[in-house]
Amino acid sequence: VKSERLFRLQDLLHMQQLEFNQNNIGKIIPVLFEKLGKKQNQILGKSPYLQSVITEGSENNIKKILDIKILQAGQNSLIGAIVNEK
C-alpha cells in the first residue's frame, strides 16, 4: 500500500512540475547563469524558481543575470533564448 501511494504521489508531482514549467513558455524571465552546458556554445543557469535553464551563449555570460525568453519546457528544464545582454 505504501509503495502504491508513493507512486501515485510521485506521478502527481511530475505532472504538476511539467505543467508549471510549460506555463513559462513565452515568458521572459531573469536567469543567473552558472556554468557551461553539455554542448558547444551552451550555458546553463537557474530561474528564480530554481528551474534549470539552457540557452546558447558564451562563457562570458557565466555569473551574469540575463533575460531569457522561454521557448520549450520539459519536466526538469527550460530552454530559451537570450533577449538582451546587460
Side-chain angles (χ1 to χ4, degrees):
V1 172
K2 289 190 295 185
S3 294
E4 180 185 335
R5 288 180 182 171
L6 177 62
F7 290 132
R8 287 194 340 233
L9 178 60
Q10 288 174 332
D11 284 344
L12 176 63
L13 291 172
H14 290 205
M15 281 185 358
Q16 289 175 340
Q17 183 179 8
L18 180 60
E19 183 180 334
F20 182 79
N21 285 349
Q22 288 177 337
N23 285 333
N24 285 293
I25 294 174
K27 293 183 180 178
I28 296 174
I29 59 173
V31 176
L32 172 61
F33 286 95
E34 303 173 322
K35 62 184 180 179
L36 295 174
K38 293 179 182 178
K39 298 179 182 174
Q40 189 173 4
N41 297 325
Q42 191 179 66
I43 52 177
L44 180 73
K46 295 288 185 177
S47 75
Y49 297 103
L50 299 179
Q51 300 150 294
S52 293
V53 180
I54 302 165
T55 191
E56 287 186 7
S58 72
E59 189 173 348
N60 297 335
N61 291 324
I62 294 176
K63 296 185 181 178
K64 290 184 181 178
I65 297 174
L66 302 175
D67 289 333
I68 303 296
K69 182 170 185 176
I70 303 303
L71 305 173
Q72 297 177 29
Q75 183 176 330
N76 297 314
S77 63
L78 304 171
I79 298 174
I82 297 172
V83 175
N84 67 351
E85 293 191 36
K86 298 177 183 176

